[in-house]
Every structure is written in C-alpha cells, then in structure tokens.
C-alpha cells in the first residue's frame, strides 16, 4: 500500500502547528502594541495647526498665564479655547503684517473662529471636569506635560483609564499647593509623602474607594 504522507510531512505539520500557535499568541500582542503606540494615541505628535502657535514662546518665554487664554479652566468643565479677539489683543499692535498671522487677522475680520486641531479628546462616555482638578491641587502639567517647553503643542499622555486611576487611587502623590498648580516644571518636593496627605485633607478630597467608583468618570 502506498504511503499517504511523504517523509517530510511530519516536519511540515510541526512547522504549521508552530506557526499557528505563534499567530494565536503573537497577533493579540501585536494588536495591543499597535493600539498603545504613539501612532494611534497621538502622544508626542504635534499636528499641523492653522497657525503655528508656540506655548513655549507665549507662556514659557513671555510668561503669559494659562488662564489668560484658557479663561474657564478653573471655573467649569472645559478649559476653553481662546476666541480670536484674545489673540488680537496683542497682535493688533505687534506683528501686524506677519504672513504667519494672516489666518488670525482673517478670522478676526470675518468673525469666523480658527479651526484648531484638537489634541486631547476623551470618549463621550468619560466625564472630566478641569475646574474640579485644578481647584483641588492637580496641576496642568500632570496631564498635559511641560507645555511651556513645547514649541508646537503635542499630546503628552494617552489618557488611558490606568493613567487616571493612578492618580485617583493615590491623589496625595500628585496634589500640589495652590501656587504650584500652574507651574509647568513642578516636581514632587522631598516632603511630598508628608505634605500630600495634608493637602488632600485641606482640599476635602474624598479618597479611598470613592474616587474609583465608576460613576465618578462615567455618567
């Protein structure tokens, strides 16, 4: 009776089996890596904007306070995007003929807002309130990075659930004194382990399981 399988069939079968196992294990790992990659999350990538606005120049070098442009950051959920007339407060007097700022002048003349490319956008099922965080001692740079060093602004963190939970589970590690909230170069001081719990109490931050309840962020 003729053989059904050739002498090399066993090797082919083993190779096929190993390839199948590798795919079953490797593809989910590869997919997870792609989903968390900067290409997907946008971390570290500065998209083209209608005007090449530099936080490094305006806030870092000129010292313009965050709240001058983001006027509602300590009042309501949204930090707010400045209207064109905020830009023109200065640029109606300086750099008035700059080609780079022509979109700003056109926006102001036509009463049409600039269409900025949004960097940080959470899913619709996530509720986030800027004012609650900054008035409770969580600084801008904790989430947005050292914006005052960014020539072109980019997304500093992916804002995955774990990122938020790290802070919600231990706010004493991240909370600051009120005068340090707007400091983009802030680092936890040597006595943060002692200072943090005191600030949590002073800010009336309810810790424990309360900050990790689903309804805190998902409403």
């Amino acid at each position: 009776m003729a053989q059904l399988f050739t002498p090399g069939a066993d090797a082919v079968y083993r190779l096929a089996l190993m390839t199948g196992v590798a795919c079953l294990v490797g593809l989910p790992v590869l997919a997870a890596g792609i989903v968390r990659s900067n290409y997907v999350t946008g971390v570290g990538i500065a998209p083209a904007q209608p005007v090449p606005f530099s936080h490094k120049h305006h806030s870092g070098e000129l010292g313009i306070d965050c709240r001058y442009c983001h006027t509602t950051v300590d009042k309501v959920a949204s930090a707010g995007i400045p209207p064109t007339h905020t830009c023109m407060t200065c640029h109606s007097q300086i750099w008035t003929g700059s080609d780079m700022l022509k979109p700003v002048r056109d926006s102001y003349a036509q009463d049409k807002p600039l269409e900025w490319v949004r960097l940080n956008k959470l899913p619709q099922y996530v509720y986030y309130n800027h004012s609650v965080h900054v008035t409770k001692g969580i600084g801008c740079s904790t989430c947005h990075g050292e914006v005052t060093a960014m020539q072109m602004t980019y997304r500093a963190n992916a804002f995955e659930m774990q990122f938020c939970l790290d802070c919600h589970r231990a706010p004493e590690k991240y909370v600051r004194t009120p005068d340090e909230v707007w400091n983009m170069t802030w680092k936890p001081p040597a006595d943060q382990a002692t200072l943090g719990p005191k600030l949590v109490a002073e800010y009336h931050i309810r810790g424990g399981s309360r900050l990790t309840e689903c309804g805190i962020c998902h409403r």
Side-chain angles (χ1 to χ4, degrees):
M1 181 177 177
Q3 290 185 342
L4 294 177
F5 301 100
T6 63
D10 186 59
V12 173
Y13 171 75
R14 290 175 182 273
L15 179 61
L17 182 62
M18 292 174 63
T19 302
V21 172
C23 289
L24 288 174
V25 175
L27 287 178
V29 174
L30 178 62
I34 292 174
V35 168
R36 293 174 179 270
S37 69
N38 290 355
Y39 177 78
V40 174
T41 63
V43 171
I45 300 173
Q49 298 285 3
V51 179
F53 179 85
S54 171
H55 277 88
K56 179 180 180 181
H57 174 64
H58 289 82
S59 187
E61 297 171 357
L62 298 180
I64 298 176
D65 190 282
C66 306
R67 292 161 291 184
Y68 183 79
C69 295
H70 303 289
T71 56
T72 58
V73 67
D74 56 349
K75 298 178 178 66
V76 297
S78 173
I81 297 296
T84 306
H85 73 73
T86 299
C87 309
M88 292 300 289
T89 302
C90 294
H91 289 297
S92 61
Q93 306 296 320
I94 58 175
W95 297 96
T96 56
S98 170
D99 291 338
M100 182 174 62
L101 296 178
K102 186 178 185 301
V104 177
R105 296 192 297 272
D106 290 346
S107 169
Y108 187 70
Q110 299 168 13
D111 194 24
K112 182 179 179 181
L114 290 164
E115 296 183 4
W116 300 98
V117 177
R118 188 169 183 173
L119 294 178
N120 302 294
K121 185 176 182 180
L122 297 175
Q124 291 184 346
Y125 54 80
V126 177
Y127 174 78
Y128 180 85
N129 188 310
H130 276 88
S131 66
V132 169
H133 288 77
V134 298
T135 57
K136 297 293 184 180
I138 301 300
C140 307
S141 62
T142 297
C143 297
H144 297 297
E146 191 179 344
V147 178
T148 50
M150 297 181 186
Q151 189 66 43
M152 292 297 293
T153 312
Y154 54 84
R155 190 174 187 174
N157 291 292
F159 299 136
E160 295 170 342
M161 188 172 179
Q162 186 61 52
F163 177 84
C164 301
L165 284 175
D166 286 343
C167 186
H168 277 222
R169 286 170 175 159
E172 67 277 2
K173 294 181 180 180
Y174 304 91
V175 72
R176 319 178 187 182
T177 55
D179 60 309
E180 292 289 350
V181 167
W182 317 104
N183 180 2
M184 292 294 176
T185 60
W186 180 85
K187 302 294 181 185
D191 63 342
Q192 183 69 19
T194 303
L195 178 62
K198 292 181 180 179
L199 290 173
V200 167
E202 290 177 9
Y203 285 126
H204 303 291
I205 297 174
R206 290 182 289 177
S209 61
R210 173 59 178 162
L211 286 181
T212 56
E213 290 179 2
C214 301
I216 292 292
C217 299
H218 303 293
R219 302 182 181 181

